[in-house]
Amino acid sequence: MKRITYITLAHNCRLYWMWMAGFAALILNGLYFAWYMEHHGHWVTGMNNQIVWGLPHVFAIFLIVTASGVLNVASLSSVFGKPAYKAWARLSGLLAITLLAGGLVALVLDLGRPDRLIIAMTHYNFKSIFAWNIFLYTGFVLVVLVYLWMMFEPGMAKKVTPVGRAAFVWRIVLTTGTGSIFGVIIARQAYDTVILAPLFIAMSLSFGAAFFVVYLFALRQSAFTGDAELLGKFRNLLIHFICAVFLITLIFHITKAWDVATRDFERFILLDGGLLTVLLWAGFVALGVLVPLLLLSGTGGASPNRVLLSSALHIAGGLAHLYVIIIGGQAYPSVLFPNKEVSSSFHDGVIAGYSPTFAELSLGLGGLSLAIAASLLVIRILPFLPENRASSD
């Protein structure tokens, strides 16, 4: 097999710095509103006592899940022996770290007391899934850093596969832990099901593949226009991963509708949820699943424009899906006394309202911008891109 030579990002300096300036502005804007929310309190957001995880959590979970999935490109090369992905394994590992960092920054700043992070990292309640996730996130970064070290050092080539296997197992466990954050919450009928763990694993794979495609096109890489085989492989990955997400989501809703205790929640989400229902059907099912599958099918499904558009639409649909899962699960009231009507001054039995504010959107976009800007800075300094794939535009 031909030896791959890696170089730094070749680019038009003006265009590069325009992108970096834009991301820097979004990062600073996000930091400002994080301070604003911390200084004035979360009452300035759309969150309330019923909905405590808002739009920043949607972005944070998306970035964390995508970080796990984007590493799949490296896993396909070193773990599953697919040489077509080897040239992009380094970039895959880098994006896994930066996306996780961006997601964790948005998550920590959204909690309201980021100054207490040290306490959370030194005092653990191992009955809480949140405590376990701290180890999963930090361990993931360490494992991927070692993985990248093995890739960069020619003398360590024989150790890439075993370290890659460890990284593969770790990211599956990490995504399982992220899904379990919701799956083990028995106080919310919308959650409380272990199927959320495999659903999040499937979403990580589809989000990771879609994000990687969009990222390469945004870099103006010639990877797809010059390599029909690689483009076809990403097309097949997207088809299979999107179908897996849809199938597990379908099972989730069927089982919830079958259970008498959660049937009313399903009616709310599927029919009477207002914006949540629109996001589920129009955002996730239509734009995130059906349209991408239609674009990717047929003889023209492997064209660069179709693969790019399908990836972008699936990312948008995935964000809508996470919004429905996270916000919708909190909006529907807990069933405290089955078959009884409940009302109190604490909003028991009442569907909670939630309207995201610009401050929340800014924080979420700030985390996403941080992840992308960090990756662009690193590939400008260190050789992460294969030589014959780096554009000089």
Side-chain angles (χ1 to χ4, degrees):
M1 184 175 178
K2 184 179 179 180
R3 182 181 177 86
I4 301 172
T5 302
Y6 291 93
I7 61 174
T8 57
L9 176 65
H11 58 81
N12 178 299
C13 290
R14 182 179 179 183
L15 180 62
Y16 175 81
W17 290 115
M18 284 177 61
W19 275 106
M20 293 298 285
F23 288 130
L26 289 173
I27 293 170
L28 291 175
N29 187 57
L31 288 173
Y32 167 76
F33 279 106
W35 170 85
Y36 179 78
M37 290 187 291
E38 192 276 336
H39 184 72
H40 294 281
H42 270 46
W43 70 272
V44 299
T45 71
M47 292 178 274
N48 48 59
N49 288 335
Q50 287 71 45
I51 298 180
V52 296
W53 297 334
L55 187 60
H57 261 67
V58 175
F59 277 94
I61 297 299
F62 170 78
L63 289 170
I64 292 171
V65 169
T66 305
S68 170
V70 79
L71 191 63
N72 193 52
V73 175
S75 297
L76 286 169
S77 168
S78 58
V79 179
F80 296 96
K82 303 294 183 181
Y85 302 96
K86 185 177 181 180
W88 303 105
R90 290 186 181 184
L91 183 61
S92 169
L94 173 64
L95 286 175
I97 294 175
T98 59
L99 286 170
L100 180 63
L104 292 180
V105 167
L107 191 65
V108 169
L109 294 178
D110 181 50
L111 294 178
R113 291 296 301 274
D115 55 300
R116 295 178 64 85
L117 178 62
I118 300 299
I119 296 177
M121 296 182 67
T122 54
H123 296 77
Y124 300 105
N125 171 20
F126 290 106
K127 294 182 180 179
S128 170
I129 191 67
F130 292 99
W132 287 104
N133 273 275
I134 290 177
F135 290 97
L136 292 177
Y137 297 148
T138 55
F140 180 78
V141 173
L142 291 175
V143 170
V144 176
L145 283 175
V146 174
Y147 196 12
L148 287 174
W149 177 32
M150 300 298 106
M151 295 182 196
F152 270 80
E153 289 290 339
M156 298 289 188
K158 294 182 179 180
K159 297 182 180 180
V160 170
T161 297
V163 175
R165 288 171 181 163
F168 175 78
V169 173
W170 198 284
R171 71 181 183 84
I172 294 297
V173 175
L174 180 147
T175 317
T176 301
T178 304
S180 297
I181 290 176
F182 304 95
V184 300
I185 300 179
I186 62 174
R188 294 286 184 178
Q189 282 71 30
Y191 305 142
D192 189 24
T193 173
V194 294
I195 202 173
L196 284 175
L199 174 59
F200 272 63
I201 293 174
M203 285 194 297
S204 76
L205 295 173
S206 66
F207 293 170
F211 185 88
F212 200 82
V213 168
V214 174
Y215 188 89
L216 286 187
F217 271 101
L219 280 181
R220 303 175 67 83
Q221 298 294 327
S222 60
F224 297 133
T225 55
D227 193 340
E229 180 186 3
L230 182 64
L231 183 66
K233 288 182 179 298
F234 270 99
R235 171 207 181 190
N236 292 334
L237 288 177
L238 285 168
I239 290 175
H240 289 94
F241 293 156
I242 292 174
C243 287
V245 171
F246 183 68
L247 175 61
I248 299 176
T249 302
L250 185 63
I251 295 172
F252 169 80
H253 287 288
I254 289 176
T255 53
K256 287 291 184 182
W258 190 272
D259 190 346
V260 176
T262 56
R263 193 168 296 168
D264 289 338
F265 162 74
E266 275 302 301
R267 186 179 296 109
F268 164 70
I269 286 293
L270 297 179
L271 301 174
D272 305 323
L275 177 62
L276 294 170
T277 301
V278 173
L279 288 175
L280 178 63
W281 290 107
F284 170 62
V285 176
L287 292 181
V289 175
L290 297 181
V291 174
L293 289 179
L294 287 174
L295 288 172
L296 294 171
S297 62
T299 54
S303 67
N305 290 336
R306 284 199 178 192
V307 175
L308 173 61
L309 180 58
S310 300
S311 300
L313 289 176
H314 183 63
I315 290 174
L319 284 168
H321 192 196
L322 286 174
Y323 188 96
V324 172
I325 293 174
I326 297 172
I327 307 301
Q330 299 172 87
Y332 194 79
S334 299
V335 180
L336 301 177
F337 302 97
N339 302 320
K340 303 290 184 181
E341 291 187 5
V342 178
S343 63
S344 73
S345 59
F346 296 98
H347 304 282
D348 292 325
V350 177
I351 294 173
Y354 171 71
S355 297
T357 63
F358 183 72
E360 295 172 271
L361 177 62
S362 297
L363 179 54
L365 291 176
L368 176 61
S369 299
L370 176 63
I372 299 175
S375 67
L376 290 175
L377 180 62
V378 173
I379 63 177
R380 178 67 184 88
I381 300 172
L382 297 176
F384 274 88
L385 303 177
E387 184 177 22
N388 61 332
R389 309 296 175 87
S391 171
S392 59
D393 294 336

